[in-house]
Amino acid sequence: MATHMSRFKAWGRVQRFGIAACRQYSSGSSNGYPNVSLSAPLPGIPKPVFASVDGQEQYETKITTLENGLKVASQNKFGEFCTVGILVNSGSRHEVRYPSGISHFVEKLAFSSTAQFGSKDEILMTLEKHGGICDCQTSRDTTMYAVSAEVKGLDTVVSLLSDAVLQPRLLDEEIEMARMAVRFELEDLNMRPDPEPLLTEMIHAAAYRGNTVGLARFCPVENVEKIDRALLHSYLRSYYCPERMVLAGVGIEHEQLVACARKYMLDLKPVWGASTAGNVDLSVAQYTGGIIKMDKDMSDVSLGPTPIPELTHIMIGLESCSFLEDDFIPFAVLNMMMGGGGSFSAGGPGKGMFTRLYLNVLNRHHWMYNATAYHHSYEDSGLLCIHASADPRQVREMVEIITREFIQMAGTAGEMELERAKTQLKSMLMMNLESRPVIFEDVGRQVLATGKRKLPHELCQLISNVTANDIKRVTAKMLRAKPAVAALGDLTEMPSYEHIQAALSSKDGRLPRTYRLFR
Amino acid sequence: MHGAAQLKVALEDCLSAENEARCRKRLEPNAALYQKDKGKSWASVLVCLCTVGGDTAFLFTLRSSMLKGRHKGDVCFAGGKKDPADQDVVATALREAREELGVTVRADQVWGVLKPLRDLSGMMIAPVLANLGPLEALSFRPNPSEVEEIFTLTLAHVCNPVNQGYTNFRTGDRYGYTLPVFRNGKHRVWGLTAIALDHTLKIIVSP
C-alpha cells in the first residue's frame, strides 16, 4: 500500500515536471540508475568466471615424477585460491636411532628464517601480498608443509616452500624459541582435562613397544635440551631427500606446478649438504601388544572454578591392518559402526547417536562418561581402539563392558546398522573432500604412500561393497591379536593385563571372576 | 640377471644331497656349544624343511589363541621346553614335534643344530634343523589346544627381498637391537622365529 502511494507520487512528479526533474540516485546523468542495463556486462569490470556443476568430477589427479625422484601431484579445482605444499615421508616413527622429538621440533621451526627470507615475519608478509597463510604439521609418519594462497602467486609460493623445507637457517634464537614452545605444549598436554593426546601416545607405545609408531610423537621432557642444530641437520640429511617428498597442489594447473617444481626444486642444494639416502630407517612396524599405566591424580583437573568429576581413562586396542590392504575399508566401516563419543553430546544427524557404543554402552550405563572408537592406520599396520572413561570405583565394570563390546563385534552385524555405518562413512568422506585443504592432504598422502590416488567415487564404491561377512572376518582376525591397553588416572580397581587378555579370548567377553575376601 | 639366476639355482638344490652334506658339516661344531649348559633348562625348536609340490618350503605353526602367555597367537616353529626325560636338545625338538604336530621325525632326518638363541628371559633356545621330505607323504595330527594351524612358506618367498624387512627397536631411550621380519605370506613371521629362520637361510642357501 505504501509503495503504491510513493509510485503515485513519483509518477505525479514526472507528469508535472518532466523526467529531467526526477531525483538522481547516482552521479552522472546518463549513467543514472534507470539507465543501467541488467542484461549486459558492466564496462570496465573483469569478466566473471562461473563454476558449472554437472555431477561429474571435472578434473582428475595428475602425477608426474621428476628426474630427482620428487613426485608432483595436482588436482585442479574451480576457484581463485589454491593450496600447495610439500609432504615428506618423515615422522616420529623414523627416530629410533635419534633422540625422540626431532619431528616435534621440526614442526615448531617450520617457516622460520631461510636463505632467502630473514625471518618468519618476512615470510608471512610475502604471503600476505598473495592473501596466503602457511602451516606445518607433523604426525607419526608424515611431515606436511602447506601454503594456501591466490593462484596468481604460485611461483612465489613454490619458491617459498622449497626454501622453507630445504634451506632453513635454524638460528640459535629460533631453536631456543622452539624449545620454549615445546615445553609449553608438553605442560599443556599434562594439564588439560581432555586426556586424548596422552592416551593416544600411551596406546601406541603399548601396542608397538619400542619400535616405529610406538615411539613418542611429542618430545619427551628430557630430550628438549638435547636437540640442537647439528642433530637436526644429521636427521634432515637422511630423510629430506627428493625420493621421499611429494609436491602436491590443489586448484592449479598441473603443467604450471611442474614448471615451478623444475625451476625451484630440481637443482636446489639443501643447506645441510647432500642427502645421504643410505641412512634411512625402513623398519616395519611390529605390533607387540602390552599395557602402559600412568597413575595420575585426576581429582582436580579443572582449569576453571567449576569442578570436573574425577575420571579414570582406559583405552583398549587391537591390531587392525594397514591402509594399503584391502581389509582397510571393512575396518573403517567397523569403526564407524562402533562410533561413540562423549555422554554429554547434544546428538543430532551425523553424530552417530545410533552407533553401538551409544546404544549399548552410553545409553545403558549412565555412569560412563565417554566411550569412543578410534582407528589409526599406517603403511604397515593399524590399531583399532576404544577409549572409555568413568569414575575410578567403576573401572572394573567399565573394562568388562568394553571387552564385551569387542567380542560382540565378531557377531553378525545388523543389516540396517551396517547400511547406516556405510552411508555415514561415505557422507563423511564426501563432505570432508569438499574442503580444499583436505583434498590437498588426501592427494599428498595417497601419492606419498602409494604413488597414485584413489578417487572419492572409487572409495565410495569400495565402501558400498562391504558385507556383514567382511566385518565378521576382519573382527575374527583382529581378536586373535594380543590386546594393547593404556590406563590413566586412579588405577586401584584396574583388572590385570592377563585378565583383560583372557576376557578378549573368551566367548562372552567377561573378565575372569576374582573372589575377594573383603569387598 | 646373473645374480638372480644364481640365486634360483642355489634355491633349487637346497635339498640336494651335496648341499645337505655341506650343511651337516657346517652344523657339526655347534653341538659342542650345548654341552656346557646341559644342567640348566633349555628349549628347542624344530626348523622343518620340506617340499610342497616340489618347492622347498619351511613349516610353521600358528599357536592357538587359547593359550595364555605372551606368545599366544604367534607364528612359531614347533618346539618347547625341555622335559626331564630328554637327553639333549635334539630329543626335545623331536618330542615336541611329535606332541604338537603329531608327526614323528627320525633322528637321521635331522641335519644338525644351529647356534643357540636367547629369548628375553635369558633362556637358551636351540634351533634344530631337519628335513621332513615331501609334505604330501606326511600326515599331521596337530594338537588343537596348542596349535591352531600348520602352514608353509616357500624358500623362494622368504628369500625374496620384497618379503624381507627389519625393525629397529629401542631399549630405554636409545637404539637397542634389530630383528628381521618376513611378511606378505599367510601370516607374518617375526621375533625369535624370524631370527631362527634368518640364521637357517644363511646356512642352507649357498653363497
Side-chain angles (χ1 to χ4, degrees), chain B residues 6-26:
Chain B
Q6 258 188 339
L7 185 63
K8 195 165 180 308
V9 165
L11 295 183
E12 270 168 13
D13 61 18
C14 258
L15 293 183
S16 68
E18 62 176 271
N19 201 36
E20 183 177 333
R22 183 183 67 83
C23 294
R24 278 180 189 270
K25 208 158 134 225
R26 236 178 111 174

Side-chain angles (χ1 to χ4, degrees), chain A residues 95-100 209-212 215-216 222-223 226 280-288 319 380-381 479-483 501-502 504-505, chain B residues 62-74 148 164-171 173-176 178-181 183 187-191:
Chain A
E95 288 173 8
V96 74
R97 288 186 188 267
Y98 299 86
S100 263
R209 185 164 294 262
N211 70 85
T212 57
L215 300 173
E222 56 273 6
N223 285 353
K226 285 192 213 161
V280 162
D281 178 31
L282 295 166
S283 293
V284 176
Q286 292 276 32
Y287 180 88
T288 57
E319 187 181 15
D380 41 19
S381 184
L479 284 171
R480 301 194 63 257
K482 289 189 274 276
Q501 203 177 12
L504 285 169
S505 323
Chain B
L62 191 67
R63 284 169 74 97
S64 163
S65 39
M66 295 301 151
L67 287 171
K68 295 199 198 323
R70 57 195 304 175
H71 296 296
K72 61 162 258 197
D74 281 350
E148 191 170 315
Q164 292 171 348
Y166 62 88
T167 305
N168 288 322
F169 285 83
R170 197 185 268 183
T171 33
D173 59 351
R174 54 186 64 247
Y175 163 70
T178 309
L179 291 186
V181 61
R183 8 177 217 173
H187 299 279
R188 192 178 57 189
V189 180
W190 60 289

Side-chain angles (χ1 to χ4, degrees), chain A residues 307-474:
Chain A
I308 292 181
E310 182 180 0
L311 294 175
T312 296
H313 305 274
I314 56 143
M315 214 186 225
I316 299 184
L318 290 170
E319 187 181 15
S320 65
C321 75
S322 88
F323 55 67
L324 295 172
E325 290 178 38
D326 295 329
D327 277 347
F328 173 65
I329 306 278
F331 270 114
V333 174
L334 178 64
N335 180 35
M336 221 54 207
M337 204 161 69
M338 296 307 292
S343 63
F344 287 99
S345 170
K351 291 283 189 312
M353 287 295 117
F354 286 93
T355 55
R356 279 206 195 154
L357 286 179
Y358 265 108
L359 290 180
N360 299 349
V361 175
L362 290 171
N363 287 358
R364 298 222 186 136
H365 307 278
H366 63 94
W367 43 268
M368 289 276 276
Y369 277 78
N370 192 325
T372 324
Y374 295 97
H375 185 211
H376 305 279
S377 193
Y378 305 96
E379 66 188 5
D380 41 19
S381 184
L383 187 63
L384 183 85
C385 37
I386 295 187
H387 165 213
S389 21
D391 189 83
R393 284 160 296 184
Q394 283 161 312
V395 173
R396 207 186 145 75
E397 285 95 27
M398 169 169 68
V399 171
E400 189 161 45
I401 290 172
I402 299 298
T403 51
R404 286 209 347 240
E405 276 306 310
F406 264 112
I407 300 293
Q408 275 166 19
M409 276 191 221
T412 316
E415 202 182 293
M416 197 140 85
E417 194 179 31
L418 186 63
E419 236 5 83
R420 184 185 295 124
K422 290 197 308 200
T423 313
Q424 221 174 341
L425 186 60
K426 279 188 280 191
S427 56
M428 198 176 79
L429 180 74
M430 299 309 286
M431 277 194 291
N432 282 340
L433 282 176
E434 286 180 11
S435 149
R436 202 185 53 241
V438 178
I439 304 182
F440 157 76
E441 192 174 332
D442 185 43
V443 167
R445 274 184 196 267
Q446 284 205 42
V447 174
L448 193 62
T450 63
K452 45 188 171 15
R453 179 181 184 225
K454 278 206 187 91
L455 290 169
H457 59 84
E458 278 177 59
L459 288 171
C460 284
Q461 187 59 42
L462 288 171
I463 294 172
S464 304
N465 292 347
V466 170
T467 63
N469 276 339
D470 286 328
I471 304 280
K472 220 172 175 170
R473 178 176 53 84
V474 299

